[in-house]
Amino acid sequence: MAGTKIVTAMNYMPQNKVHGFQGRTPLSLSHSIKKQKLVYYWSMNGKSKTKFRVMNQKGKQIAPQVETEENITSTKFMALVSVRNSSNNNKAFVNNFLSIFMPQNNTKGCVVLQLVSTKLDPRSMEPKLSHETVLEFSKLEDKGSTSSTYRVEFIVDSDFGVPGAVTAVNNYDNEFFLETINIKEKGNICFSCKSWIQPNKLDPHKRIFFINKVYLPCETPNGLKEFRGRELKQMRGGDDGSENGQLRPWNRIYDYDVYNDLGDPDKGNDYARPTLGGQHNPHPTRCRTGRPPTKSDAKAESRPSESELIYVPRDEEYEDIKQQYINQGKLKAVLRNIVPGLRYKIMGSEVISNIDRFIQEPTEHSVPKSLLNLGVAMGQFFKFDPPKLFSSGKSHFLSDDEFGRQVLAGLNPLSIARLKVFPPVSKLDPSIYGSVESALKEEHIIDHIEGMSIQQALEENKLFVLDYHDVYLPFLDRINALEERKAYATTTIFFLTKMGTLKPIAIQLALPTGDPNTACKQVLNPSVDKTSKWLWQFAKAHVCANDGGVHTLVHHWLRIHACIEPLIIAAHRQLSVMHPVFKLLHPHMRYTLKTNATAREVLINAEGSIEKNYTPGRYSMQITCAAYKDWWRFDMEGLPADLIRRGLAVPDSTQPHGIRLLIEDYPYAADGLLIWSSIEKLVRTYVNHYYKDLNAISSDYELQSWYKEFINMGHPDHKNASWWPQLHNPEDLISLLTTIIWIVSAQHAVLNFSQYPYAGYVPIRPQLMRKLIPNEEDSDYADFVKDPERYFLSSLPSLFQATKFMAVINIGSGHSPDEEYIGDRNDKSSWLGEPEIIDALIQFSTDMKNIEKEINRRNADPKLRNRCGHGVSSYELLIPSSGSGATGRGVPNSATV
């Protein structure tokens, strides 16, 4: 009732039982004061002097009458509510439709909304709320292609102030996706909700959505402080943290657990896998699911059923368009493997050289479909798109030039390092793994370094190394005992030519001997005679297999997906959506938890795609753990720090990026520094805008809680390490945020979207090897000498293994139609009223467009031999934009696949 107010400390009382003010109209109750067993009633109509009495619940007056004067009126806020149109959810639509026309009570079959003021009620000192209003899906205002708009009316007191939040309760039977709520009054206030609202019967918590405005914790309006804390508690799993059972698809709880769900010991020992995380296999933590333990091992979490998805918080699930794109990719993968699969069942293992017939010719791929007859079109549909290396030539063998170029501008440009000492020295324990002395000697390289001495070549930064010796040697006995798996611990030496290209000049192949007093190592060099030529091809193929394993297990999975997941979990648990750091990072966290859950479901699990397709097999994740234990450091994850650690750059204040590359034509680093610097410039403007006081960083309890939890709960096996960066001042925060954004955007793009273009043609880049190099003592050495090419091809993956691998990485290397690329943000409304931030975001977008032009210019420069020239593929992985599909270019905001 307009002009009427009641405040009660107890439960709301029915209108017909209001005490006091006999003879007056019954009063509607609107607010409660906790912790006081008193009831206050007063009635005012316009501006008038009114006497009111303070009474207890039984109607007994307990205080003298008080005379007051106040002007209380009501006002209305009109709002437009945008709800995403349902897709493939007809059951939900039917249930919601029926609930509209058959409500069980006055709130059944509707959504109840309530505004929260930024001010506290001065009488109760509690958040000031509007009257509840109802959103009914039967009252459609407008329907667009993707969303529908509904008009609602909020009734508030005239002294309500500015709305700062809105609560929502879903009384329908199914979830719905709330896009936005826009209030035209008060300067067009917008709530960007972007979230699934669950039925109240599944989630009894009121959903809270805050105004599109950034507030540091200390700047939070008084009316929103309680709601800010309440929302974070819900994300952590309840006020008391008691929601520790199995998490359901509709939950929004973010919590931690170890990787104890990769194996399935109930199927037998072959499917059992060790827990990742802890002393024996240190590893970052993951998002908790709470599934029950297996029957065979109480410490192992059971696998989901075939009809069940691994839990991620509801808003982390893929959008429909993304899931449809993945499903289409899976269908293509199945269709493209039908013929190879049938041939495998009929003919057995086929030599990989036959793979060309299953790949479209580049000319075929480019012919418009309108010019193709139906038969040809169907035939092409069952073929793979040509990978980048296949399109540049049909050789089944990796040339030395291409081998050297790829370590700078190919699948994995993150492993190459400058050789500082010759011969290279192992860090493994010689009492366990034998002599650490390298078999590489001066005579192996002296004829390949253009007349230099070895010392001169080292001093002039001419020698580089791709060293996988320590990564693989501890696991080789177990790997080589697997069926159709054979590997060496490889060390490859490269020489930097005058043209700026790397030339492979020696490869050391090591095997464990079981005797610490002996070593089994051999060194191969490029050669022109027929036998040595094939031995050299063998060695390069083994290096590629090792490189592919390290690329996938260490640089891609560990450094990006696994190590960033707990940072995302901590952000949702400790940073309010109103926090400036959460706002900045939000697009850079998109889809990552879902992608990682999918990886646990089908990629890194026992007998998953990683184990089936890469040399380490069932020991793959243990290699990841070893790298995490002995090598990974968060303070070395930024691009400049990583380049300096690998000896590929030196600090130089005269250079635009503060470092000087020792290989000028290093496309990954050269293009990457452009993006790194632009990210850092944006972050610097952003951080300095919100943290003007040097002490503001250390006093921001949400920020500090986030970073502390990321370390202690996200990386417990490294929580006591001395190398964690500090977070005390703006410079610390700038470095931290720049590193995070770089990792999930540009570095991930390089590692992920290079897979199919650079590793899709398996004869050139085998992902595993099935044979060791034959020695003269071996029984099959005569077969090798008789036909070395045939023997070599038989050591590569089979045709069926190759096509299965191609199908997997083709899906993973593709951009979905809803991809969001770096520089493009659709949430600029979060910074309305802050032109400095809007301008910085616009400038960042402009920078990305300019970087794209600069990369195209470099790719056309004939002086840059690693990205331009006959038979040389342009380096496009760090071009910011892309279309959908496996394009080999484009930098999304986050690790989306």
Side-chain angles (χ1 to χ4, degrees):
M1 177 182 294
T4 300
K5 260 200 172 183
I6 290 181
V7 182
T8 175
M10 306 298 288
N11 296 329
Y12 291 133
M13 299 173 61
Q15 292 186 8
N16 60 1
K17 293 185 179 181
V18 172
H19 298 282
F21 302 106
Q22 280 78 10
R24 299 194 181 193
T25 304
L27 308 175
S28 61
L29 306 179
S30 64
H31 207 68
S32 69
I33 301 177
K34 298 176 181 177
K35 300 180 181 178
Q36 296 187 36
K37 296 182 179 180
L38 302 176
V39 183
Y40 298 78
Y41 300 113
W42 66 93
S43 177
M44 301 174 191
N45 296 301
K47 185 175 182 180
S48 61
K49 291 185 178 180
T50 303
K51 293 182 179 180
F52 69 91
R53 293 172 288 177
V54 181
M55 311 176 72
N56 64 14
Q57 287 286 75
K58 295 181 179 180
K60 182 179 179 181
Q61 183 171 329
I62 58 175
Q65 295 188 114
V66 179
E67 187 174 279
T68 184
E69 181 175 344
E70 191 169 349
N71 186 11
I72 300 294
T73 58
S74 296
T75 187
K76 297 178 181 179
F77 289 163
M78 301 301 297
L80 294 179
V81 180
S82 177
V83 176
R84 180 181 298 172
N85 294 334
S86 179
S87 175
N88 299 322
N89 196 5
N90 294 328
K91 181 180 179 181
F93 262 160
V94 170
N95 288 343
N96 283 340
F97 183 82
L98 291 176
S99 65
I100 291 171
F101 293 98
M102 293 187 296
Q104 296 178 6
N105 54 56
N106 64 334
T107 60
K108 180 68 176 177
C110 67
V111 177
V112 179
L113 304 174
Q114 195 168 20
L115 290 178
V116 182
S117 174
T118 56
K119 301 193 306 184
L120 291 175
D121 190 316
R123 301 173 188 84
S124 65
M125 297 308 295
E126 291 199 347
K128 185 179 293 188
L129 306 177
S130 73
H131 292 277
E132 292 182 342
T133 191
V134 170
L135 165 65
E136 295 186 72
F137 291 151
S138 60
K139 298 179 179 179
L140 180 65
E141 180 80 9
D142 181 54
K143 185 170 184 178
S145 59
T146 60
S147 62
S148 297
T149 304
Y150 305 85
R151 184 181 296 272
V152 298
E153 182 181 275
F154 291 100
I155 299 176
V156 301
D157 296 330
S158 58
D159 63 346
F160 182 80
V162 178
V166 63
T167 65
V169 176
N170 177 13
N171 290 305
Y172 286 109
D173 292 328
N174 290 279
E175 66 177 6
F176 71 94
F177 192 88
L178 183 59
E179 293 273 7
T180 59
I181 299 176
N182 287 288
I183 299 175
K184 297 302 181 182
E185 292 82 359
K186 297 285 184 179
N188 194 21
I189 294 172
C190 180
F191 300 90
S192 182
C193 307
K194 306 291 183 184
S195 181
W196 290 98
I197 314 295
Q198 300 304 318
N200 191 41
K201 62 185 179 183
L202 295 180
D203 184 359
H205 299 111
K206 276 189 175 182
R207 288 300 310 274
I208 305 165
F209 299 102
F210 297 98
I211 188 174
N212 278 18
K213 189 170 175 58
V214 173
Y215 292 109
L216 289 171
C218 62
E219 298 170 343
T220 309
N222 290 332
L224 303 182
K225 287 181 178 179
E226 177 185 335
F227 287 88
R228 183 168 184 152
R230 187 189 304 175
E231 171 74 355
L232 289 174
K233 287 180 181 178
Q234 290 180 14
M235 304 289 261
R236 292 193 288 264
D239 289 354
D240 57 0
S242 61
E243 298 182 23
N244 295 319
Q246 182 170 354
L247 297 172
R248 302 300 180 181
W250 57 82
N251 288 138
R252 299 172 59 241
I253 296 172
Y254 294 77
D255 203 358
Y256 303 90
D257 205 347
V258 294
Y259 281 74
N260 62 347
D261 65 339
L262 302 183
D264 195 352
D266 289 346
K267 287 185 175 181
N269 290 334
D270 287 345
Y271 288 86
R273 295 294 182 270
T275 293
L276 307 187
Q279 180 180 358
H280 299 294
N281 291 290
H283 194 275
T285 55
R286 61 167 173 90
C287 187
R288 181 176 72 85
T289 68
R291 291 195 307 274
T294 63
K295 297 176 182 178
S296 307
D297 184 353
K299 294 183 179 180
E301 186 173 276
S302 59
R303 298 285 297 169
S305 64
E306 292 184 3
S307 61
E308 181 185 8
L309 296 176
I310 291 181
Y311 167 81
V312 293
R314 180 63 182 96
D315 289 338
E316 303 293 338
E317 288 284 350
Y318 291 145
E319 301 284 359
D320 288 343
I321 189 171
K322 170 97 172 165
Q323 190 59 58
Q324 290 167 8
Y325 175 81
I326 293 173
N327 292 340
Q328 290 170 3
K330 291 178 180 178
L331 177 60
K332 289 181 180 179
V334 171
L335 294 176
R336 288 168 176 172
N337 272 286
I338 287 177
V339 176
L342 290 174
R343 292 173 66 95
Y344 175 73
K345 287 184 178 296
I346 296 171
M347 304 172 59
S349 182
E350 278 192 85
V351 178
I352 197 173
S353 58
N354 295 330
I355 198 171
D356 289 4
R357 70 185 64 177
F358 299 101
I359 300 175
Q360 296 181 32
E361 291 287 345
T363 53
E364 294 174 332
H365 183 64
S366 61
V367 174
K369 290 185 178 180
S370 60
L371 301 180
L372 299 174
N373 61 43
L374 182 60
V376 174
M378 288 297 294
Q380 293 306 306
F381 186 78
F382 283 86
K383 289 186 177 182
F384 289 94
D385 295 334
K388 186 180 284 281
L389 296 186
F390 176 80
S391 63
S392 63
K394 297 184 65 173
S395 171
H396 293 148
F397 316 110
L398 186 63
S399 69
D400 286 0
D401 289 342
E402 185 62 27
F403 183 43
R405 193 185 73 84
Q406 283 201 28
V407 301
L408 298 175
L411 174 73
N412 176 23
L414 277 73
S415 287
I416 189 68
R418 178 166 57 89
L419 186 63
K420 300 175 183 179
V421 177
F422 185 85
V425 178
S426 170
K427 295 180 182 179
L428 296 176
D429 185 347
S431 66
I432 300 175
Y433 299 107
S435 173
V436 297
E437 184 178 353
S438 174
L440 287 159
K441 305 296 181 184
E442 180 178 353
E443 59 264 26
H444 292 127
I445 70 171
I446 195 66
D447 293 335
H448 303 277
I449 56 177
E450 298 180 355
M452 292 183 177
S453 68
I454 292 179
Q455 187 59 34
Q456 182 185 3
L458 290 171
E459 291 175 355
E460 295 186 15
N461 304 317
K462 293 291 187 178
L463 294 177
F464 294 83
V465 62
L466 197 63
D467 194 350
Y468 295 134
H469 179 276
D470 291 3
V471 175
Y472 280 92
L473 193 69
F475 299 92
L476 283 184
D477 280 336
R478 286 171 284 178
I479 291 172
N480 289 335
L482 296 173
E483 185 179 358
E484 293 201 321
R485 291 288 200 284
K486 291 296 181 281
Y488 295 96
T490 59
T491 305
T492 309
I493 307 298
F494 296 86
F495 179 76
L496 181 63
T497 70
K498 295 177 182 178
M499 294 186 297
T501 59
L502 289 181
K503 178 176 68 174
I505 59 176
I507 297 174
Q508 175 184 272
L509 305 171
L511 291 171
T513 64
D515 182 353
N517 298 314
T518 63
C520 181
K521 299 174 182 177
Q522 60 178 311
V523 177
L524 296 171
N525 296 104
S527 183
V528 293
D529 74 86
K530 188 172 183 180
T531 301
S532 297
K533 175 183 176 181
W534 284 106
L535 292 175
W536 179 243
Q537 289 292 346
F538 242 117
K540 286 189 294 183
H542 274 281
V543 173
C544 286
N546 282 2
D547 189 56
V550 171
H551 159 274
T552 299
L553 301 174
V554 178
H555 297 308
H556 191 182
W557 168 253
L558 173 65
R559 296 178 68 181
I560 298 174
H561 287 275
C563 287
I564 291 298
E565 175 159 347
L567 183 140
I568 295 172
I569 298 171
H572 285 86
R573 288 166 53 89
Q574 300 297 341
L575 294 177
S576 167
V577 294
M578 294 189 290
H579 197 287
V581 169
F582 188 93
K583 290 280 189 183
L584 179 67
L585 291 181
H586 185 252
H588 302 291
M589 301 186 287
R590 183 177 186 237
Y591 287 158
T592 302
L593 294 189
K594 177 62 178 179
T595 297
N596 289 5
T598 302
R600 303 206 315 274
E601 193 172 357
V602 298
L603 295 178
I604 65 172
N605 60 304
E607 296 297 305
S609 292
I610 299 296
E611 290 192 2
K612 288 181 178 179
N613 287 313
Y614 290 93
T615 296
R618 63 179 297 153
Y619 307 106
S620 293
M621 297 313 295
Q622 288 169 267
I623 286 181
T624 299
C625 292
Y628 180 67
K629 176 183 178 181
D630 299 327
W631 179 82
W632 183 84
R633 290 177 48 159
F634 188 73
D635 62 330
M636 295 286 106
E637 288 299 275
L639 178 59
D642 177 58
L643 293 172
I644 291 171
R645 172 173 64 169
R646 291 191 280 133
L648 298 173
V650 293
D652 188 340
S653 59
T654 65
Q655 297 297 311
H657 315 296
I659 62 172
R660 177 170 55 85
L661 295 177
L662 298 183
I663 302 178
E664 182 180 352
D665 185 18
Y666 181 7
Y668 160 72
D671 295 353
L673 285 170
L674 297 175
I675 295 179
W676 169 273
S677 296
S678 293
I679 295 172
E680 185 180 46
K681 183 174 68 172
L682 169 66
V683 171
R684 184 172 299 280
T685 300
Y686 194 86
V687 169
N688 289 336
H689 177 78
Y690 290 106
Y691 294 96
K692 296 180 173 62
D693 184 348
L694 290 178
N695 297 321
I697 299 289
S698 57
S699 62
D700 185 338
Y701 63 87
E702 283 188 6
L703 183 70
Q704 294 297 329
S705 297
W706 165 62
Y707 188 53
K708 181 179 180 181
E709 186 170 291
F710 165 57
I711 295 172
N712 292 318
M713 297 184 70
H715 293 269
D717 300 320
H718 279 315
K719 65 181 180 181
N720 296 319
S722 60
W723 41 254
W724 284 102
Q726 299 295 314
L727 186 55
H728 294 325
N729 55 54
E731 285 299 320
D732 294 340
L733 184 57
I734 291 167
S735 176
L736 174 64
L737 295 178
T738 303
T739 298
I740 293 168
I741 295 172
W742 161 259
I743 290 172
V744 300
S745 60
Q747 185 165 301
H748 177 262
V750 165
L751 293 166
N752 188 80
F753 301 109
S754 62
Q755 291 179 99
Y756 188 76
Y758 288 98
Y761 192 55
V762 178
I764 287 181
R765 288 281 318 198
Q767 77 277 11
L768 61 84
M769 295 294 287
R770 297 189 291 168
K771 293 181 181 180
L772 296 175
I773 296 177
N775 294 316
E776 293 183 9
E777 300 82 14
D778 295 337
S779 58
D780 55 354
Y781 185 75
D783 294 335
F784 168 71
V785 173
K786 181 179 179 180
D787 192 344
E789 179 176 352
R790 180 183 178 84
Y791 190 93
F792 171 74
L793 291 174
S794 70
S795 73
L796 302 177
S798 69
L799 171 65
F800 190 42
Q801 284 178 311
T803 56
K804 287 194 298 182
F805 174 70
M806 290 174 67
V808 171
I809 62 172
N810 192 26
I811 297 173
S813 300
H815 298 284
S816 64
D818 69 334
E819 199 82 273
E820 296 177 0
Y821 295 96
I822 190 167
D824 295 334
R825 295 194 68 130
N826 55 15
D827 60 349
K828 292 188 180 70
S829 61
S830 296
W831 294 278
L832 291 178
E834 298 182 80
E836 183 180 359
I837 300 301
I838 298 293
D839 289 346
L841 293 172
I842 293 173
Q843 182 59 53
F844 184 62
S845 180
T846 301
D847 288 346
M848 291 304 109
K849 292 181 175 63
N850 291 335
I851 287 172
E852 184 162 331
K853 293 177 182 177
E854 173 60 17
I855 293 175
N856 288 329
R857 185 197 66 78
R858 292 175 177 182
N859 284 335
D861 187 346
K863 293 182 294 184
L864 302 178
R865 297 296 185 91
N866 291 313
R867 64 202 309 161
C868 182
H870 177 69
V872 175
S873 301
S874 297
Y875 191 73
E876 299 179 325
L877 289 168
L878 286 170
I879 290 178
S881 67
S882 175
S884 61
T887 62
R889 57 176 284 167
V891 180
N893 276 318
S894 60
T896 57
V897 285

